[in-house]
Amino acid sequence: MEQLLHYVWKHKLFALQPLQTTDGQTVEIIDVGLPNIHAGPDFFNAKIKLNGVLWVGNVEIHLQASDWFAHRHHLDPAYDSVILHVASRMDASPVRTNGEPIPQMELHCPPALLAHYEQLLQEDRYPACHELIPSLSAFFLHSWLSALQVERFESKTEQIHQRLKACNSDWENAFFITLARNFGFGVNSDTFELWAKTVPLTAVNKHRDSLFQVEALFFGQAGLLQELPIDTYTEALIKEYAYLSHKFGLTPSADCHWRFLRLRPGNFPHIRIAQLACLYHRSQGLLSQLMETDNLKQVRELLRGGTSEYWLTHYTFGEISPAHPKTLSNNSIDLLIINTVVPFLYAYGKHKANEALCQRANRFLEELKPENNYIIRTWQECGLKANHAGDSQALIQLKKNYCDPKKCLYCRIGYEYMKKVTR
């Protein structure tokens, strides 16, 4: 309800008759101010007239006036700049830290707006605004998707910065962890990230010339070499890992709980780890190469991967299968580009103030086909079609950050819905 009051204030959806404070002063709203998403008053730099006198300052909004004291604003100097307190229930009189009273105005949500907002929140079908979408203009939808794409870039950049902080600002290491996570393709993503954090890239780089040694490091750290030797290959891997773990002081991860249920064999952890090993055997400074590559086709080739000969006839240790190359599919490669390469291009471009890298990240998304998952298909059924991967990323952002938490009041489509019902 308090969010709805914020919405009513922000969009001036209150009665047109003269407004008054609780002590009888006339109120004229000239500028509602700028919404504040951080700590402090709800709206900054508002302009109002009280009895004809212009005041410039901040506005705080609560469902009930006593929340001013419940939230201890009367003890916080940051709220001394509040020129108007707005609430629906007048059960207290707010004051500044020096005891000076603050003008207060009663504000209620229009009944029709409240009814339609509750209807929006209670809608079982996703998205709740599905009936409105076909009537929205292509320009409006394109503008909102563009803004959501930037939001998604910023969100993923923040995730990268968190990994960088954990990796002592080592970009190659943070990239390896992110790439490994996305090699899990959803089911094993968390486990792949845990595993990647235990793999020292410095040790990998020292033995990069030998694919077998890289495999031994990768499989050993994944805790997949704990069983008795099954064949000559696994016996040799176990011995090699024993040597490398002693050399670098390594122990297998105890937190890697690999999932196999309902996975296609090509997505088994063994195959994905073998592909990553081959990728890091082939590529020195993979992130640097990808940052310098301006062509999407070349990026795909860098990520194509492959495996050692053993995995041509195996999906797990010891179980022989018909010979089949275990290269990544085009769809899998594109997902890695969307979720790993593109965010790093954007984040590194921001870090280096290199607009060209940010533009390349945008261009790659626009050149890639939209993702094909239930989120994108659901939006398409509502009349909102993704034309490229940038659009599909925007639609994923829309669902996860607006639809799922029911933040309809912060969504542009939600605003159009509320505006329509208040006409």
Side-chain angles (χ1 to χ4, degrees):
M1 281 302 301
E2 189 169 304
Q3 290 180 2
L4 190 55
L5 275 181
H6 283 226
Y7 181 88
V8 170
W9 174 264
K10 179 181 177 181
H11 299 290
K12 292 186 176 181
L13 299 177
F14 31 76
L16 296 177
Q17 66 262 28
L19 302 171
Q20 284 189 329
T21 62
T22 52
D23 61 358
Q25 298 183 73
T26 59
V27 180
E28 181 183 351
I29 312 298
I30 298 172
D31 188 338
V32 296
L34 298 172
N36 174 31
I37 61 174
H38 304 293
D42 295 321
F43 288 84
F44 284 148
N45 298 324
K47 295 179 182 178
I48 65 173
K49 281 186 178 181
L50 298 176
N51 280 344
V53 179
L54 179 65
W55 289 75
V56 179
N58 303 328
V59 173
E60 178 70 6
I61 299 176
H62 288 121
L63 184 60
Q64 51 194 27
S66 57
D67 287 341
W68 179 272
F69 296 97
H71 299 166
R72 305 180 71 79
H73 296 336
H74 63 296
L75 303 176
D76 189 345
Y79 289 83
D80 284 344
S81 59
V82 170
I83 59 172
L84 184 67
H85 182 237
V86 177
S88 283
R89 199 173 304 143
M90 299 290 108
D91 59 350
S93 299
V95 295
R96 298 186 172 91
T97 54
N98 62 1
E100 180 183 355
I102 296 174
Q104 183 167 236
M105 186 181 81
E106 188 172 349
L107 180 67
H108 296 281
C109 176
L113 182 67
L114 177 59
H116 283 93
Y117 179 57
E118 290 177 344
Q119 181 182 356
L120 197 61
L121 294 183
Q122 293 168 8
E123 173 66 54
D124 291 333
R125 180 175 170 183
Y126 158 74
C129 55
H130 56 88
E131 291 183 354
L132 176 68
I133 291 173
S135 67
L136 299 174
S137 71
F139 176 81
F140 171 86
L141 293 172
H142 174 74
S143 175
W144 183 215
L145 291 180
S146 296
L148 287 165
Q149 183 180 321
V150 173
E151 272 190 29
R152 188 134 181 97
F153 270 137
E154 296 297 337
S155 175
K156 289 193 173 186
T157 296
E158 177 58 29
Q159 293 173 7
I160 290 171
H161 284 161
Q162 291 174 5
R163 291 192 184 110
L164 278 169
K165 186 176 180 180
C167 297
N168 297 316
S169 298
D170 186 328
W171 282 85
E172 285 283 355
N173 204 357
F175 178 79
F176 173 68
I177 292 171
T178 306
L179 180 63
R181 176 178 180 81
N182 291 319
F183 253 78
F185 292 99
V187 175
N188 279 306
S189 292
D190 290 341
T191 307
F192 260 102
E193 181 169 353
L194 287 170
W195 163 76
K197 290 176 179 177
T198 73
V199 177
L201 281 187
T202 51
V204 174
N205 289 333
K206 289 180 180 179
H207 294 272
R208 189 184 295 271
D209 291 343
S210 169
L211 174 56
F212 180 74
Q213 288 183 311
V214 176
E215 285 183 325
L217 265 173
F218 279 16
F219 282 116
Q221 287 303 103
L224 294 173
L225 298 179
Q226 307 306 305
E227 303 163 0
L228 293 174
I230 300 173
D231 51 31
T232 304
Y233 172 74
T234 55
E235 183 177 8
L237 272 182
I238 291 169
K239 290 180 179 178
E240 190 62 34
Y241 177 68
Y243 160 71
L244 293 171
S245 61
H246 176 74
K247 178 179 179 179
F248 295 108
L250 304 176
T251 54
S253 172
D255 299 321
C256 291
H257 305 293
W258 302 103
R259 296 170 62 183
F260 294 84
L261 187 64
R262 298 188 183 90
L263 278 183
R264 293 179 179 178
N267 207 24
F268 281 179
H270 298 74
I271 299 301
R272 296 308 186 196
I273 290 173
Q275 290 168 337
L276 267 170
C278 188
L279 191 59
Y280 271 81
H281 162 65
R282 280 189 344 186
S283 307
Q284 178 71 34
L286 181 58
L287 175 61
S288 299
Q289 291 186 52
L290 290 168
M291 292 298 101
E292 294 169 2
T293 304
D294 190 54
N295 183 286
L296 196 55
K297 182 179 179 181
Q298 293 174 343
V299 173
R300 287 191 177 107
E301 287 306 311
L302 281 172
L303 295 173
R304 181 70 58 186
T307 63
S308 61
E309 186 176 350
Y310 179 85
W311 296 104
L312 297 178
T313 55
H314 293 79
Y315 286 102
T316 58
F317 291 125
E319 297 183 15
I320 298 177
S321 62
H324 181 71
K326 306 299 193 304
T327 56
L328 287 165
S329 68
N330 290 333
N331 183 57
S332 295
I333 292 172
D334 285 352
L335 286 175
L336 292 175
I337 294 173
I338 291 169
N339 294 308
T340 309
V341 177
V342 165
F344 264 84
L345 275 170
Y346 187 86
Y348 197 67
K350 286 286 187 180
H351 175 69
K352 291 292 187 180
N354 186 337
E355 186 61 26
L357 290 178
C358 296
Q359 291 294 335
R360 191 187 308 166
N362 276 293
R363 176 166 58 83
F364 280 176
L365 283 183
E366 291 177 1
E367 291 177 7
L368 289 164
K369 292 180 180 179
E371 294 145 278
N372 181 18
N373 54 48
Y374 80 96
I375 296 176
I376 310 306
R377 290 192 295 271
T378 301
W379 283 111
Q380 185 169 348
E381 290 171 4
C382 297
L384 188 45
K385 181 181 179 182
N387 295 313
H388 49 67
D391 285 347
S392 62
Q393 282 287 288
L395 291 174
I396 292 170
Q397 182 76 3
L398 180 55
K399 180 182 185 298
K400 292 185 176 180
N401 285 55
Y402 293 87
C403 300
D404 289 352
K406 295 290 187 179
K407 288 189 173 182
C408 303
L409 297 178
Y410 301 92
C411 170
R412 292 188 194 177
I413 298 175
Y415 170 70
E416 289 298 314
Y417 182 93
M418 301 298 283
K419 186 171 71 172
K420 181 178 179 180
V421 301
T422 54
R423 284 171 185 163

